[in-house]
Structure formats: structure tokens, C-alpha cells
Amino acid sequence: MPEGHSVHRIARQFARNFVGRPVAASSPQGRFAEGAAVIDGREALQAKAVGKQMFLEFEGDVWLRVHLGLYGAWDFAGEILVDPTIASANGRMGQTNQRGTDLDEPILDDAGENSLSSIGAPRRTRVHVRMSEQTSGLADEGDEWPPPVVGQVRLRLLTDVTCADLRGPTACALQGPDEVLATIDKLGPDPLVGDPAEGEERFVRAVRRKPTPIALLLMDQSVVSGIGNVYRAEMLFRARLNPHTPGRDVPEGVVRGLWHDWVRLLAIGVETGQMMTMDGLTGDAYRAAMASRDDRHWVYHRAGLPCRVCGTEIALEEIGARKLYWCPSCQR
DNA sequence: CATCGATGTTGAG
DNA sequence: TCAACCTCGATGG
């Protein structure tokens, strides 16, 4: 499942391409037929992300709440207006599926238009989903409209020109405004929602109150929103913090440091579509690490490999039914 | 081609 | 604490 950064990116896609337009909704798979019927024909008013949840508001106080869970995804197709704050979508969309599950979206080269600084006015781009091997040599199915349904699609949202297919979500439900507020109320602070300074105070209070290991607190969506297993491991390493340290024993300055690191990592993730956690590396070492999708992190998914800093074997353990990667030497 | 594991959460027991 | 959810890329034979 995408961590918080991806959900914000998806929300921006909806804001850019669906908000302000009437939306046709259906449930090709059938499991959300009732909800789709309610949405069908209403204008989308607003899209917002809070942590890993996305909320899409329609006319008449109808809200769609979606949580992608472990393997849910949104597939966008058709004509897509790229949100100017979403860098890696720029100029590359015709070559890639826009999928909500991607660990990382394609890395941009440094040439001209694709660079971060060149992002300006939104541009129109043609996007075809699933344009890889399957369609080559056959009639060009990519131009069909609406696109043929592939596999299990829980919910399809259509404007005149844009299609979004939802598959495999953990949660897909309609809510009233009060329920939306209640849902958001239960979530810990998201640096991109509300006042970050207030979020910091809420985070510090929640962490310093508890005897729970900090590794569990960072993944607790009621403590802080949007952090998943990758960012968790990377943030703990970046702070050189022992994952087992009880929250109440983490020095206040270190807790504040974790919050500020999340603010920074989330901003970078939303801008680039990648979980960039090794911004401390430079030059060849950085390029080498980025070259491999599987080895882009300080500790995540590096069990048994030498720590990039001290050479100690990266440890792997299960905590809260998730895998935790860390350096027993750097993170005392 | 079959099996496994994954960026996650929920609810049963 | 663990299975279920229900998708798909990676891995193994």
C-alpha cells in the first residue's frame, strides 16, 4: 500500500481532474453498486487526503472514503490534467500506468522539462493504462472510451474525459459530513492537514505519554498519520534511534526531530512520487543506491546487508506483525 | 505455472 | 494473536 505521500498525490489527481465536474460512477465488480448509484451523476466538490485515507466530496453531503489497504490501487486513464505539484507525473504519463500502488513512480532524468524546477502550468497529457506488452501488435485498445474494464474493479469514476478505477481497497464507503469528521478525528496529525505546529504538539504529547516502543508508535495512525513500514524504518535510522525505546523515554527534542523529519520526507514524497529517504547520501553513492529500486534505503529491506554507515549487519525482526529493519549498532 | 510476500487494517476468537 | 481481505510483482520449478 502506498504510504501517506501516495495518497496525497492521488487526492491531487482527483482535485485536478474530477473536482468541478459531474461524475459517472459504477461498480463493474458489483461490490459497491449501491454506493456507486448514489454518487452517479453528482458533481465532485473536493478531494482531500488525511494520512492514508482519501475523501472525495460530492454534491448533497455525500462523501466517498477510500483506504487502499495493502494492495489497493487507483488506475487513472484518459485525458489527465497533471497537478503542478506532482513532479514525476510531468511529461512521463504517456509511458506509465498511473497506479496508486507503485512503491515508487519512475525516476526522472535530469534533462530539461522533467526537472522539478520546470514544473509550471498544468499540461494536458494522453494516458493509456496497461499499454505494455499485452496490447502491442494488436489493435490499439488504448483509444477505446471508456476504457475496457480489466479485472476486478470495485468502483469506476468517469468524467467526460478521465477515468479512475479503484481495485482491492480495504475501505470504500460513503459517509456523511459528520462521519467524515469523526473518522478524521480519530487520526493522528498529518503534516499536510491543518497547522503543522499544532500537529507537532499533538504528536509530542501522544508519544511522550506512552510506554509503547517508538517503532510501534510511528506506525500507529492515531499517533501520527501516513507513516508506513518503509518510512518508519528509515525515520528511526535517520534519527539513530533504537526502535524499542518506549515513547515516554524518547527525549522531547528527538520526538520533535522525528516530526520535522516526517514533515520533510512527506513533502519530498508528494513532490517526487518516490520515498526518498537517503538525501544525506551524495554523488556516486546516491546514484548507485537510486539505480536499484530494491536498494534505495538506509535499512528498509536490507536485512543481513552491511549498514551503509557502519557496516554492521542490518537486523530484521517482527514487531506488531510487521517486519522491522534496523542497525543495532547505529541505533543504540 | 504455482507460490509467496507486500508500502495495511479490521474483526473474530 | 491471527486470518481475512483480494491484487500483483517477484521468485522458483
Side-chain angles (χ1 to χ4, degrees), chain A residues 60-316:
Chain A
D61 284 337
V62 172
W63 289 78
L64 173 69
R65 178 176 70 90
V66 172
H67 191 302
L68 293 177
L70 185 54
Y71 41 70
W74 281 104
D75 289 356
F76 289 92
E79 199 167 279
I80 297 191
L81 202 55
V82 176
D83 188 295
T85 62
I86 297 179
S88 79
N90 184 16
R92 281 292 192 88
M93 293 189 70
Q95 299 168 29
T96 180
N97 297 352
Q98 289 298 296
R99 303 216 67 222
T101 45
D102 285 355
L103 175 58
D104 282 329
E105 292 164 50
I107 292 181
L108 297 173
D109 51 44
D110 292 332
E113 316 197 304
N114 287 342
S115 73
L116 190 59
S117 59
S118 74
I119 302 297
R123 299 155 38 164
R124 282 188 175 279
T125 319
R126 273 278 165 196
V127 174
H128 306 297
V129 167
R130 298 181 189 282
M131 272 290 285
S132 46
E133 326 80 64
Q134 297 122 341
T135 53
S136 61
L138 303 173
D140 191 5
E141 293 178 304
D143 284 337
E144 277 186 45
W145 191 263
V149 172
V150 176
Q152 299 277 308
V153 174
R154 181 79 58 90
L155 172 63
R156 164 168 281 194
L157 298 178
L158 275 174
T159 69
D160 284 348
V161 292
T162 306
C163 177
D165 283 345
L166 173 65
R167 39 201 359 128
T170 275
C172 171
L174 295 186
Q175 294 187 318
D178 48 336
E179 296 173 296
V180 170
L181 289 179
T183 301
I184 293 175
D185 256 9
K186 291 177 198 147
L187 295 171
D190 177 327
L192 294 179
V193 178
D195 176 14
E198 190 182 313
E200 176 177 346
E201 299 312 316
R202 283 178 64 200
F203 176 66
V204 171
R205 273 198 305 277
V207 168
R208 303 244 325 148
R209 199 158 52 213
K210 301 193 178 174
T212 314
I214 186 63
L216 289 175
L217 292 174
L218 288 183
M219 293 270 294
D220 183 339
Q221 302 300 303
S222 71
V223 170
V224 55
S225 280
I227 297 176
N229 206 22
V230 179
Y231 278 131
R232 184 252 311 256
E234 295 294 290
M235 287 173 61
L236 289 170
F237 179 86
R238 287 159 63 95
R240 302 296 190 269
L241 186 56
N242 186 313
H244 299 292
T245 313
R248 61 159 69 119
D249 294 343
V250 181
E252 180 175 327
V254 176
V255 179
R256 293 188 184 280
L258 284 170
W259 172 261
H260 289 299
D261 202 34
W262 177 224
V263 170
R264 174 186 175 77
L265 290 178
L266 181 59
I268 293 171
V270 172
E271 275 177 23
T272 67
Q274 299 168 48
M275 304 179 99
M276 310 249 286
T277 59
M278 299 200 350
D279 48 336
L281 270 194
T282 54
D284 289 342
Y286 176 80
R287 276 187 288 279
M290 290 303 117
S292 162
R293 170 165 289 214
D294 209 38
D295 197 18
R296 264 181 211 179
H297 306 293
W298 290 110
V299 293
Y300 180 77
H301 222 301
R302 300 195 72 243
L305 296 173
C307 172
R308 297 187 192 279
V309 171
C310 76
T312 301
E313 272 195 16
I314 298 302
L316 168 59

Side-chain angles (χ1 to χ4, degrees), chain A residues 7-20 44-50 53-58 63-64:
Chain A
V7 183
H8 279 284
R9 287 175 67 86
I10 292 165
R12 288 176 192 200
Q13 291 282 42
F14 276 103
R16 188 61 67 173
N17 298 284
F18 285 80
V19 167
L45 301 182
Q46 184 185 358
K48 63 185 291 185
V50 182
Q53 315 242 12
M54 189 185 72
F55 301 88
L56 199 51
E57 184 189 7
F58 295 90
W63 289 78
L64 173 69

